[in-house]
Amino acid sequence: MKLAIYGYGNLGRGVECAIHKNSDATLVGIFTRRDPKTVRPLYESTPVYSANELLAHKESIDVLILCGGSATDLPEMTPALAEHFHVVDSFDTHATISKHFDRCDAAAKAGGRIALISCGWDPGLFSIARAYASAVLPGGAAYTFWGRGISQGHSDAIRRIAGVKDARQYTVPREEALAAVRSGQTPALTTREKHLRECYVVVEDGADTAYIEKTIKEMPNYFADYDTTVTFLTEEELRREHGGMPHGGSVIYNGRTGKESEHGHTVEFRLSLDSNPEFTGSVLVAYARAVDRMAKRGVCGCKTVLDIAPGDLLMESAEELRAHLI
Amino acid sequence: MKLAIYGYGNLGRGVECAIHKNSDATLVGIFTRRDPKTVRPLYESTPVYSANELLAHKESIDVLILCGGSATDLPEMTPALAEHFHVVDSFDTHATISKHFDRCDAAAKAGGRIALISCGWDPGLFSIARAYASAVLPGGAAYTFWGRGISQGHSDAIRRIAGVKDARQYTVPREEALAAVRSGQTPALTTREKHLRECYVVVEDGADTAYIEKTIKEMPNYFADYDTTVTFLTEEELRREHGGMPHGGSVIYNGRTGKESEHGHTVEFRLSLDSNPEFTGSVLVAYARAVDRMAKRGVCGCKTVLDIAPGDLLMESAEELRAHLI
């Protein structure tokens, strides 16, 4: 399959890496809205084109992987491109997935294309874990814990405070909540009881650290509802100790069976990721394969990960999978 | 959807329970090869019929759930019934799934029916976990650990030894192996290094316990390749302490990404089950729903869990799932 990348930040680099790990995939190129001369791909062999040239490459691209952000890029980008290409995006604003779906569905159907949206690990693999568990054990309780990992949105919120030079924020699940849910309990957990927030902050010379710490801890939506720790450190320490992009988490589902609901069952799906964008990029490439196959079977319209059979994600044939994987 | 159960042992009872937890499912009845008068269903309201009457109920059954054993029942039962009914089975002899598939596929296609085979948790949900992880991180290492849980086959093997009145065998993953794999290592593990076997044995009066212990520990295929413990106890103790049918386990997959494969990722899918047959029965009912939907879309032939999109397993509509689950 011939894949192309649209947008080249951390996620785009993750997709570029992932394509090199999949022997049935070739990378047609990166399409960027910046000046292509300023973009340095990870692999020298990767062509870089201007986004303006995209339509001229229409015939040579099987699936276009969209690596824009969910806040402003994807709500416009995915419907606009789904009319011309089979596309995969990682739209992750849970509250507006239905609206995004409807717009992408109309565009994809108009062009006879497939638009697979909200792909990655949450939404994505975590959605799938919630789906399997609640299908098998209806009426149970689902818990999603995130971390320990870097939240880009929370890190950015800290960086916007006056006097802050750089920052990283870790979302950390509370061990006592994890342990209770893993043991089969179904507690009602508040936001504060599920996660902690750890902030590592570099300040400008002479900045008021007491003010910065207070501003972080009282920030509505981002930090006010959590127990938050703030640690000030040097730029060098931040780069050395907190330079990576790890993430992960767990979906844990507790349900009951038996005539008197006397038997409890715990289903857990857990990810521990050294690089959030590289793992997410790898998920997008696996789903691009499924989109390519479904397109060849004549499918069109908007799809989510819940519409894709797991066998379509794998390089191996159905016969090989029955013989070796099932 | 109108479901029926064919074969009524532990798994059949698990399916009967599960049907009562799914508000969109009704149970047409249990079909048994025994004298129906001797079968007592869990729910008084459940009709019990002779297996000989099955074809007379053809029009009133949407999906028939086959609850026979993999050794001798299902290899004949599934192809024979797939010509007349949409069926779901839990065929679990990994080595002969391909052969079973081919026979069921021919029968199902001849009758315009769907036969979903090898459904449950392994094969089943564990196969799916292996599929998602290896699709996303090709070239990684997959580990499957079973237990702590009762193995029916190993318990039966002990019961066949002269002087043994009753027995239960637990398969137990070794904590050190689990910990190593969970931490991202990819060790080559021998059979002995992955699992322990714990045996609880009730003997006849005057039986030679030293002989029985030696016979268990040296039994080829079942115990000789494992570290095995044997504990003798009374019938009353066995019933009280080991009367349940718990099981579970973990699929753990370690893969790498990055230009220099510098980033590691661990994916784990874990089950902890109070009742193996009730959980397996619950999986079969969820897949019966998918079979019913796919049949209404005109699909036919043999399928495995890898061919089923997760969204088809759930009672809720695709719109509801996009709004609340993804």
Side-chain angles (χ1 to χ4, degrees), chain A residues 17-18 21-22 42-44 94 97-98 101-102 117-118 122-132 134-138 182 256-276 278-279 282-283 286-287 289 302 304-316 318-319 321-323 325-326, chain B residues 17-18 21-22 42-44 94 97-98 101-102 117-118 122-132 134-138 182 256-276 278-279 282-283 286-287 289 302 304-316 318-319 321-323 325-326:
Chain A
C17 267
K21 302 270 185 201
N22 285 271
L42 278 175
Y43 293 82
E44 269 187 39
H94 288 262
I97 286 176
S98 294
F101 181 94
D102 292 340
I117 62 161
S118 300
D122 196 4
L125 300 185
F126 273 19
S127 317
I128 291 168
R130 289 186 284 265
Y132 280 111
S134 57
V136 171
L137 299 169
R182 263 190 199 132
R256 304 196 72 80
T257 64
K259 197 174 173 188
E260 312 294 338
S261 295
E262 65 272 33
H263 294 129
H265 307 279
T266 300
V267 180
E268 178 169 359
F269 180 74
R270 186 180 188 174
L271 293 174
S272 172
L273 312 175
D274 274 358
S275 166
N276 185 356
E278 289 178 6
F279 186 82
S282 301
V283 176
Y287 275 91
R289 176 179 296 116
C302 191
T304 73
V305 294
L306 299 184
D307 302 312
I308 313 293
D312 270 333
L313 301 172
L314 287 133
M315 245 179 281
E316 294 81 0
E319 292 73 19
L321 296 175
R322 286 196 293 272
L325 182 137
I326 285 184
Chain B
C17 268
K21 301 270 185 201
N22 284 272
L42 278 175
Y43 293 81
E44 269 186 40
H94 288 262
I97 286 175
S98 294
F101 182 94
D102 291 339
I117 62 161
S118 300
D122 196 5
L125 300 186
F126 272 19
S127 317
I128 290 167
R130 289 186 284 265
Y132 280 111
S134 57
V136 171
L137 299 169
R182 265 192 197 129
R256 304 196 73 80
T257 63
K259 197 174 174 187
E260 313 294 337
S261 295
E262 64 272 33
H263 294 128
H265 307 278
T266 300
V267 181
E268 178 170 358
F269 180 73
R270 184 180 189 178
L271 293 174
S272 172
L273 312 175
D274 275 357
S275 166
N276 184 356
E278 289 178 6
F279 186 81
S282 301
V283 177
Y287 276 91
R289 177 179 295 117
C302 191
T304 73
V305 294
L306 299 183
D307 303 312
I308 312 294
D312 270 334
L313 301 171
L314 287 135
M315 246 180 279
E316 293 81 2
E319 292 74 18
L321 295 175
R322 287 195 293 273
L325 184 137
I326 285 183

Side-chain angles (χ1 to χ4, degrees), chain A residues 44-96:
Chain A
E44 269 187 39
S45 57
T46 303
V48 181
Y49 303 104
S50 163
N52 301 327
E53 300 176 65
L54 183 61
L55 280 177
H57 292 263
K58 194 167 167 170
E59 301 309 317
S60 63
I61 297 170
D62 291 323
V63 183
L64 181 64
I65 300 180
L66 307 182
C67 299
S70 294
T72 56
D73 292 338
L74 297 174
E76 301 306 318
M77 196 186 273
T78 313
L81 293 171
E83 211 175 318
H84 305 286
F85 296 91
H86 302 301
V87 298
V88 177
D89 84 14
S90 61
F91 183 78
D92 67 358
T93 310
H94 288 262
T96 54

Side-chain angles (χ1 to χ4, degrees), chain A residues 208-220:
Chain A
D208 180 348
T209 55
Y211 161 80
I212 290 170
E213 179 164 346
K214 188 168 182 290
T215 306
I216 294 172
K217 289 186 171 175
E218 295 177 356
M219 198 184 294

Side-chain angles (χ1 to χ4, degrees), chain B residues 207-285:
Chain B
D208 181 347
T209 54
Y211 162 80
I212 290 170
E213 180 164 346
K214 188 169 182 289
T215 305
I216 294 172
K217 289 184 171 176
E218 295 179 355
M219 198 184 294
N221 303 318
Y222 284 88
F223 295 100
D225 298 333
Y226 297 86
D227 289 345
T228 301
T229 62
V230 177
T231 304
F232 294 100
L233 73 185
T234 67
E235 216 163 356
E236 162 60 22
E237 286 167 333
L238 187 78
R239 194 170 46 236
R240 198 179 57 226
E241 309 285 340
H242 307 287
M245 283 181 278
H247 219 313
S250 281
V251 170
I252 308 178
Y253 190 97
N254 287 318
R256 304 196 73 80
T257 63
K259 197 174 174 187
E260 313 294 337
S261 295
E262 64 272 33
H263 294 128
H265 307 278
T266 300
V267 181
E268 178 170 358
F269 180 73
R270 184 180 189 178
L271 293 174
S272 172
L273 312 175
D274 275 357
S275 166
N276 184 356
E278 289 178 6
F279 186 81
T280 303
S282 301
V283 177
L284 295 180
V285 171

Side-chain angles (χ1 to χ4, degrees), chain B residues 107-119:
Chain B
K109 281 180 177 155
R113 299 287 176 163
I114 297 175
L116 177 74
I117 62 161
S118 300
C119 186

Side-chain angles (χ1 to χ4, degrees), chain B residues 196-217:
Chain B
L196 299 168
R197 297 204 175 274
E198 284 177 16
C199 311
Y200 295 87
V201 183
V202 181
V203 296
E204 312 276 3
D205 284 348
D208 181 347
T209 54
Y211 162 80
I212 290 170
E213 180 164 346
K214 188 169 182 289
T215 305
I216 294 172
K217 289 184 171 176

